[in-house]
Amino acid sequence: MIASSLTTMAYAAQPEQGITVTPSIGYYNADSDRQAGNDTSYSIGVGYQTNSALALEAVYLHSDASKRGRENDLDQYRVDGLYSLPAFTTVNLTPYVAAGVGITDVDGDSTNLLVNAGGGVKYAINSDVDLRADFRLVKDIEDNHLDNVTSVGVQYNFGMPNQQASN
């Protein structure tokens, strides 16, 4: 029984090194003091998965956050680090933690520095495609706002050519 329990949560094989592209849709929940409201968000992330548990990702997020009848364009530009935790191999789930820095621009009126932290889980459909669910707390450093964003997306993995095959 102990052996079967240990196989439920096991370290997966090393991730395949390469480029990742992750389009996502989500919900942006702005701090109540912010001029922007809560609304649907769209994002695209382009990343690089190392041959370890660490990945780096550049993300653009947009939300038409309306508040009191006023449309606000909220744009974020971030660079995040993602660290994959041990995978649940029996169900193809890989939890991860994430953190990063960037800027938030609301209607071009203010561009502020941000930090974010959170995590999520990836479900491997196959070796090239993962479904990804993510939650982040986003802290506006300059105006002291704390937002959060919840999203789901599809991560496409473009692995590097096998070095042994090309030799």
Side-chain angles (χ1 to χ4, degrees):
M1 283 195 320
I2 292 173
S4 66
S5 297
L6 291 176
T7 60
T8 301
M9 185 174 159
Y11 284 94
Q14 290 291 349
E16 189 173 342
Q17 181 178 355
I19 304 297
T20 62
V21 177
T22 310
S24 299
I25 186 169
Y27 186 74
Y28 198 92
N29 185 16
D31 189 301
S32 61
D33 292 338
R34 186 181 286 283
Q35 293 302 312
N38 306 329
D39 206 346
T40 304
S41 65
Y42 308 92
S43 64
I44 183 78
V46 177
Y48 180 74
Q49 175 65 55
T50 66
N51 61 359
S52 70
L54 182 64
L56 296 174
E57 188 172 57
V59 178
Y60 167 72
L61 178 140
H62 176 79
S63 179
D64 290 323
S66 57
K67 186 172 186 177
R68 295 184 191 108
R70 179 177 176 227
E71 281 292 320
N72 296 291
D73 286 328
L74 185 140
D75 295 302
Q76 280 185 359
Y77 305 90
R78 305 188 321 246
V79 176
D80 297 336
L82 287 78
Y83 185 82
S84 295
L85 300 171
F88 294 91
T89 55
T90 57
V91 288
N92 295 334
L93 288 177
T94 303
Y96 62 90
V97 293
V101 297
I103 58 171
T104 297
D105 179 14
V106 179
D107 276 339
D109 295 337
S110 63
T111 302
N112 295 344
L113 183 64
L114 69 86
V115 294
N116 78 85
V121 64
K122 294 187 287 187
Y123 172 75
I125 294 173
N126 59 43
S127 63
D128 297 328
V129 180
D130 297 316
L131 294 178
R132 189 165 130 181
D134 192 276
F135 176 80
R136 301 291 175 97
L137 291 173
V138 181
K139 175 73 171 166
D140 182 321
I141 299 296
E142 296 170 44
D143 288 340
N144 203 30
H145 296 297
L146 183 62
D147 304 335
N148 66 71
V149 62
T150 304
S151 64
V152 293
V154 178
Q155 179 173 306
Y156 299 96
N157 307 302
F158 302 95
M160 303 298 267
N162 188 342
Q163 297 296 330
Q164 295 172 344
S166 62
N167 291 338

